[in-house]
Amino acid sequence: GAVVSQHPSWVICKSGTSVKIECRSLDFQATTMFWYRQFPKQSLMLMATSNEGSKATYEQGVEKDKFLINHASLTLSTLTVTSAHPEDSSFYICSARTGTDNQPQHFGDGTRLSIL
Amino acid sequence: SQQGEEDPQALSIQEGENATMNCSYKTSINNLQWYRQNSGRGLVHLILIRSNEREKHSGRLRVTLDTSKKSSSLLITASRAADTASYFCATAAKVTFGTGTKLQVIP
């Protein structure tokens, strides 16, 4: 149980394109979803936290107009990287949690984004 | 910051040996969680220990928590090559991660 599906696994696109990444909880209701970014050989950097039906809370330094997060249902959150540029190339990972912070997070397998 | 910091940064052991990694944190916590990340993949939740627990076991994993020292340790016994991964600890609420311990188990 507790499976999180993240799609796509990887994407290569031209500079200026907007890219949407989906994160789905397949067998549980995700009241909270998290989006992370990870550069090579570095730790995960939390970008934003979203609760179903509410606006996402962004971490300091993360542009909300650049990284649009939607959490419209208890099983789906999306991250849209708008007008992507090469510096946005990274590994993006989502996670989902049900209930309170006494519950573990369940992670997707990540999306490798390469902007040419 | 609510993130944990892992120590050592890297650890290389022979298969069959035990691996111990440590985590320190700064704030008060409800629980502490350990995760594993294989290269290029998402994180896998290993174990959650609550603030009122001192030790917890799950298979070959043993986690301890000392809230007075704001530290935790993860012990992997009888390590296997498949245990090669990066290991992270995280405190709850807003889950942020340290740099992790990169474990290499040599067959």
Side-chain angles (χ1 to χ4, degrees):
Chain A
V3 176
V4 173
S5 173
Q6 188 171 340
H7 177 81
S9 298
W10 58 272
V11 59
I12 302 173
C13 58
K14 294 180 179 179
S15 185
T17 307
S18 291
V19 178
K20 180 184 282 189
I21 302 170
E22 291 189 351
C23 182
R24 292 180 185 272
S25 57
L26 298 186
D27 51 2
F28 67 101
Q29 293 187 327
T31 49
T32 306
M33 285 188 167
F34 304 86
W35 287 95
Y36 295 86
R37 183 175 181 176
Q38 187 178 34
F39 292 104
K41 299 183 180 180
Q42 294 188 26
S43 185
L44 282 73
M45 183 187 77
L46 180 64
M47 299 174 67
T49 303
S50 73
N51 292 299
E52 184 264 338
S54 302
K55 288 185 178 179
T57 301
Y58 289 81
E59 295 300 301
Q60 192 173 9
V62 178
E63 299 176 58
K64 59 181 67 176
D65 294 331
K66 174 76 171 177
F67 300 99
L68 301 178
I69 292 172
N70 183 283
H71 189 171
S73 77
L74 282 171
T75 59
L76 173 65
S77 177
T78 61
L79 166 67
T80 301
V81 184
T82 61
S83 187
H85 292 286
E87 59 266 28
D88 299 322
S89 298
S90 190
F91 190 53
Y92 293 87
I93 308 176
C94 73
S95 69
R97 183 182 70 199
T98 190
T100 68
D101 59 15
N102 273 326
Q103 299 297 321
Q105 287 187 79
H106 303 285
F107 284 80
D109 270 346
T111 297
R112 190 160 301 282
L113 176 63
S114 295
I115 308 298
L116 304 178
Chain B
S1 169
Q2 294 187 31
Q3 72 184 48
E5 289 294 340
E6 299 83 2
D7 166 64
Q9 289 190 334
L11 181 61
S12 183
I13 59 174
Q14 296 289 330
E15 198 166 34
E17 293 181 339
N18 296 341
T20 300
M21 49 206 90
N22 305 296
C23 168
S24 59
Y25 58 92
K26 295 180 179 178
T27 63
S28 59
I29 60 170
N30 290 329
N31 65 69
L32 186 140
Q33 304 167 34
W34 283 92
Y35 292 84
R36 183 187 74 219
Q37 185 183 30
N38 290 87
S39 181
R41 303 293 298 273
L43 275 70
V44 174
H45 177 258
L46 295 177
I47 198 164
L48 181 152
I49 185 166
R50 302 188 193 284
S51 59
N52 61 352
E53 297 177 306
R54 291 295 169 261
E55 188 171 311
K56 198 163 184 178
H57 297 254
S58 176
R60 293 184 295 113
L61 305 180
R62 173 179 165 246
V63 168
T64 62
L65 179 64
D66 187 336
T67 53
S68 67
K69 296 181 180 178
K70 290 187 167 57
S71 67
S72 175
S73 68
L74 169 66
L75 168 67
I76 304 174
T77 61
S79 64
R80 304 168 182 169
D83 295 327
T84 295
S86 291
Y87 292 82
F88 299 89
C89 65
T91 56
K94 188 168 75 173
V95 183
T96 55
F97 296 90
T99 51
T101 293
K102 191 167 184 177
L103 174 66
Q104 180 186 29
V105 181
I106 303 168

